[in-house]
Amino acid sequence: MKTIDDLEVAGRRVFVRADLNVPLDGDTITDDGRIRAVAPTITKLAEAGAKVIVASHLGRPKGAPDPRFSLAPAAKRLGEIIGRPVAFATDTVGDSAKATVAALGDGEVTLLENLRFNPGETSKDDAERGAFADRLAELADLYVGDGFGAVHRRHASVYDLPARLPHAVGDLIAAELGVLRKLTENVERPYAVVLGGAKVSDKLGVIDHLLEKADRILIGGGMGYTFLKALGHEVGTSLLQEDQIPAVTEYLARAKERGVEFVLPVDALVASEFPDLKTKAPANPETVPADAIPADREGLDIGPETRKLYAAKLADAATVFWNGPMGVFEHPDYADGTKAVAQALIDSPAFTVVGGGDSAAAVRTLGFDETAFGHISTGGGASLEYLEGKTLPGLAALED
């Protein structure tokens, strides 16, 4: 892959496919991590004299403009971070985009409106997607792919557009790939993986692949209750995917055969109802053994003994990958499990990787110093698919 250092960008229109898919509370960005992550690439291009055209998706609008998913707040925040004005086009390939791009001077930056406001961006029809990519290509001379959180999508701006312009990989994606290679090639051992989040079905592929690579796999979050159920334990009203029990049972057996240590919760924080995440009202959870959750209770976080166990299992690791919170970290009464894992990564001498998504959001929400981790990924889904060994369309498109 070529990098932006291989491109002559001065005076040229450079289309940067970023990932500015940030969480919003109305017009307020609640986590600007993805904007900060791509800002160095945008600054580097602007300082080199490029006319920088930034584009991204946000949320899941249905192929038409929707003010709830406008990138206008991201344009404002990007300008604050890079310390230079960011013009905002109110469409993607229409009159506003054309006029805004035409007005760019060398070293200036614009952000296009949400790419998913156009149905061609996410279309499964190659012709429709290609037609949108053709119109995007008219705006630029060069293409830089730097939206790691979107490279697992076969979308027009990610997959089709690079074929229409000279292209290179941005510094963010280059850094992400360097980290992921450390998790897949000549891994320093012991290699520990921590997986959490709501659904075990979201992690089946990566578990399957990691059974061939990891030394130790720690399970938490909502997905953990399907594992506990597979062992015959009562899980009450906890999140459960019964249809995944056969797959989970098989993975536990394979792990035993291969000598991979599978570590499950030994206790849990439970309650009779899900906590109110808006008011953060006290939830008054109780701690119970993980194999004896009352039938009328729901597991919402790993318990104190599990936190100690997981910290011990990570203390001697040389490489750690973590994807998925241990509980409902958005509520203070159920945040301690996720906090404990984050702190264990910080305390470990290992090379530590936080695998994007809710894990990265939790690190920031819970007030941890991001620089204390080896790497915090900007793409949860993309990271997992890479670790599954899948070909990611957006990366394949950037190959020379």
Side-chain angles (χ1 to χ4, degrees), residues 282-338:
N284 300 315
E286 59 181 305
T287 302
V288 300
D291 59 358
I293 296 174
D296 63 346
R297 295 290 190 272
E298 178 180 8
L300 296 166
D301 195 13
I302 58 174
E305 293 305 314
T306 304
R307 292 173 222 149
K308 294 176 187 176
L309 173 64
Y310 285 13
K313 294 294 183 181
L314 297 174
D316 67 342
T319 304
V320 180
F321 173 74
W322 170 35
N323 180 277
M326 297 293 99
V328 187
F329 73 91
E330 299 91 343
H331 192 286
D333 288 354
Y334 300 104
D336 286 345
T338 302

Side-chain angles (χ1 to χ4, degrees), residues 157-210:
S157 65
V158 176
Y159 178 73
D160 301 272
L161 184 55
R164 289 157 168 78
L165 294 169
H167 52 264
V169 64
D171 288 350
L172 173 59
I173 286 186
E176 294 272 13
L177 290 177
V179 167
L180 288 170
R181 291 189 185 106
K182 288 186 178 182
L183 299 178
T184 54
E185 304 170 10
N186 301 314
V187 183
E188 290 192 30
R189 299 184 179 281
Y191 179 17
V193 175
V194 187
L195 296 175
K199 295 181 179 179
V200 69
S201 56
D202 293 340
K203 304 291 196 302
L204 288 179
V206 75
I207 293 173
D208 183 69
H209 203 66
L210 287 171

Side-chain angles (χ1 to χ4, degrees), residues 103-148:
L104 283 177
D106 295 353
E108 294 183 343
V109 181
T110 188
L111 174 62
L112 305 182
E113 183 55 284
N114 193 337
L115 291 165
R116 290 185 181 175
F117 285 180
N118 190 303
E121 170 67 1
T122 59
S123 176
K124 289 182 169 56
D125 181 82
D126 291 348
E128 183 179 18
R129 219 174 49 243
F132 183 50
D134 286 339
R135 296 183 70 188
L136 289 172
E138 292 173 0
L139 297 174
D141 305 306
L142 303 169
Y143 177 95
V144 170
D146 216 26
F148 181 71

Side-chain angles (χ1 to χ4, degrees), residues 4 16-20 22 32-48 52 54-55 74-84 86 107 109 111 144 146-148 170-173 378:
I4 55 178
V16 179
R17 197 349 175 144
D19 177 14
L20 308 182
V22 293
D32 65 1
R34 285 179 170 170
I35 301 177
R36 288 187 286 108
V38 76
T41 291
I42 295 168
T43 297
K44 187 175 187 177
L45 290 167
E47 289 180 347
V52 186
V54 185
K76 179 182 178 182
R77 183 63 184 132
L78 176 60
E80 291 170 349
I81 291 171
I82 66 175
R84 63 181 71 214
V86 174
V109 181
L111 174 62
V144 170
D146 216 26
F148 181 71
D171 288 350
L172 173 59
I173 286 186
T378 56

